[in-house]
């Protein structure tokens, strides 16, 4: 962790949390809110993703985009920042815990930070230009903090035919401007894979108690998929999802959660194992899986 991540992690836990589903600011049952997501089938959809999801969650979003929507694209929010020579030693310019995990989940070669930021900026311009009929915000930081000062952007979100947010922050700008909100979890309330700036895959362990009524983003996206007639995830807990992802992802074949926990794994030098060996290791580890939701 950089110093900012080590001592400033509390910014990921909003003071007032979303603990139930909402429609236009009014509390609804989860089932009622999910019924409204059928609107996503109409026209073009933009999926904006926070850079602090787990790798597995990025993969679920990609699967959702591929299987559930026809005219859509996924963009990860990224804003770099200029650092002094001293700051470069202590903090990262990314201000994004896991955007490289999003790039990895897409299966693309990583572009430069400038190219990734340009994609995000173009998505915001299109959003303000009424190019899309609906938008999904997967996480509160699906729009970078400094972009919330753009009133034209917030107005564009507010007037969209349909917008869905999977959010934690009850007092955040996205909550007030989304048609439907589902209750998400902070990265501190989830376990899963992260990829750091050195392309080292690491395991983030749940650090704070789970808040009742909230959902991990992967489960919320899975529930929306079900209401659109598709099944994209069968896991019941974060650990289940990680195990299934490690088994399914060829680039990580042979890795177990235990491997990743032991200092992380350098993806630049890791050689995937044969399928049989990978399956055996994962089967042994699965015997001790955590059943918590």
């Amino acid at each position: 962790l950089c110093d900012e991540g080590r001592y400033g992690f509390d910014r990921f836990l909003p003071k007032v949390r979303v603990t139930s589903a909402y429609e236009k600011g009014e509390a609804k049952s989860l089932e009622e809110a999910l019924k409204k997501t059928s609107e996503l089938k109409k026209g073009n959809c933009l999926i904006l993703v926070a850079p602090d999801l787990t790798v597995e969650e990025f993969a679920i979003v990609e699967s959702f985009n591929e299987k559930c929507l026809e005219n859509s694209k996924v963009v990860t929010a990224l804003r770099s920042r200029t650092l002094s020579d001293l700051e470069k030693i202590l903090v990262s310019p990314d201000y994004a815990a896991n955007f490289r995990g999003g790039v990895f989940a897409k299966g693309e070669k990583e572009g430069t930070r400038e190219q990734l930021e340009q994609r995000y900026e173009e998505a915001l311009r299109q959003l303000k230009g009424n190019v899309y009929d609906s938008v999904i915000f997967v996480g509160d930081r699906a729009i970078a903090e400094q972009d919330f000062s753009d009133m034209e952007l917030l107005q564009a979100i507010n007037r969209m035919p349909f917008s869905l947010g999977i959010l934690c922050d009850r007092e955040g700008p996205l909550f007030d401007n989304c048609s439907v909100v589902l209750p998400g979890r902070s990265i501190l309330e989830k376990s899963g894979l992260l990829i750091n700036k050195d392309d080292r895959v690491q395991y983030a362990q749940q650090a704070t108690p789970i808040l009742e009524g909230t959902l991990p983003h992967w489960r919320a996206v899975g529930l929306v998929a079900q209401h659109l007639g598709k099944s994209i995830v069968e896991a019941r807990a974060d650990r289940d999802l990680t195990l299934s992802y490690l088994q399914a992802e060829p680039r990580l074949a042979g890795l177990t959660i235990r491997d990743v926990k032991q200092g992380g794994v350098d993806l630049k030098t890791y050689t995937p194992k044969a399928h049989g060996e990978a399956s055996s290791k994962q089967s042994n580890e699965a015997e001790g899986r955590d059943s918590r939701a």
Side-chain angles (χ1 to χ4, degrees):
L1 292 176
C2 68
D3 282 11
E4 189 169 19
R6 185 177 299 278
Y7 300 111
F9 63 86
D10 56 342
R11 73 178 184 270
F12 292 105
L13 286 175
K15 294 180 180 179
V16 182
R17 294 291 298 276
V18 180
T19 56
S20 65
Y22 286 82
E23 182 185 352
K24 297 188 182 302
E26 182 180 350
K28 298 286 184 179
S29 70
L30 185 60
E31 187 65 28
E32 287 176 310
L34 287 169
K35 286 180 180 178
K36 298 294 183 179
T37 62
S38 59
E39 295 292 320
L40 295 170
K41 284 286 193 179
K42 302 175 181 178
N44 300 327
C45 180
L46 172 65
I47 305 175
L48 283 169
V49 187
D52 51 14
L53 301 185
T54 65
V55 176
E56 303 93 311
E57 288 181 313
F58 282 119
I60 291 296
V61 171
E62 292 295 331
S63 179
F64 174 83
N65 181 50
E66 179 183 344
K67 297 179 180 180
C68 300
L69 301 175
E70 295 182 1
N71 300 303
S72 58
K73 73 175 180 179
V74 179
V75 177
T76 302
L78 178 64
R79 285 291 192 194
S80 58
R81 52 188 174 164
T82 302
L83 302 176
S84 67
D85 291 339
L86 177 60
E87 287 173 330
K88 290 176 183 178
I89 300 173
L90 301 174
V91 298
S92 167
D94 302 337
Y95 211 59
N98 199 27
F99 85 89
R100 288 177 177 78
V103 175
F104 184 85
K106 282 180 177 292
E108 301 174 352
K109 289 185 177 180
E110 181 178 351
T112 65
R113 183 183 290 113
E114 290 77 14
Q115 290 171 326
L116 294 170
E117 189 167 353
Q118 286 170 7
R119 290 184 212 168
Y120 169 65
E121 292 174 343
E122 176 61 21
L124 295 189
R125 285 193 291 270
Q126 291 176 335
L127 195 57
K128 291 191 289 186
N130 302 315
V131 171
Y132 295 97
D133 300 290
S134 60
V135 60
I136 303 174
F137 301 102
V138 188
D140 296 270
R141 297 179 70 207
I143 289 183
E145 184 177 357
Q146 57 265 53
D147 293 317
F148 284 128
S149 61
D150 187 343
M151 293 306 300
E152 183 183 352
L153 176 62
L154 293 177
Q155 291 168 359
I157 297 169
N158 188 269
R159 66 173 178 263
M160 291 198 72
F162 183 77
S163 53
L164 169 65
I166 305 173
L167 309 173
C168 294
D169 192 353
R170 176 67 177 78
E171 297 181 320
L174 286 179
F175 180 90
D176 292 329
N177 288 280
C178 283
S179 309
V180 169
V181 172
L182 302 181
R185 285 184 190 162
S186 163
I187 186 62
L188 301 181
E189 297 165 315
K190 295 182 286 190
S191 298
L193 304 174
L194 305 179
I195 298 176
N196 73 5
K197 65 184 181 65
D198 298 319
D199 288 329
R200 178 174 291 274
V201 60
Q202 299 172 306
Y203 189 76
Q205 186 76 44
Q206 177 193 334
T208 60
I210 292 171
L211 190 62
E212 185 177 356
T214 63
L215 299 167
H217 290 80
W218 61 264
R219 177 169 290 171
V221 173
L223 289 173
V224 175
Q226 286 183 14
H227 278 73
L228 297 179
K230 302 291 183 180
S231 176
I232 62 171
V233 59
E234 297 180 359
R236 298 179 60 85
D238 290 345
R239 187 179 179 85
D240 297 330
L241 183 66
T242 302
L243 288 170
S244 63
Y245 181 72
L246 289 175
Q247 288 178 321
E249 174 50 63
R251 292 170 293 175
L252 302 179
L255 286 182
T256 67
I257 292 175
R258 185 180 297 109
D259 293 331
V260 180
K261 279 185 174 180
Q262 294 175 346
V265 176
D266 188 344
L267 293 177
K268 296 189 295 294
T269 59
Y270 179 69
T271 301
K273 304 297 189 298
H275 178 71
E277 182 181 351
S279 298
S280 175
K281 290 181 69 177
Q282 292 289 1
S283 296
N284 291 335
E285 182 165 342
E287 293 177 3
R289 71 178 55 179
D290 187 345
S291 61
R292 289 175 298 174

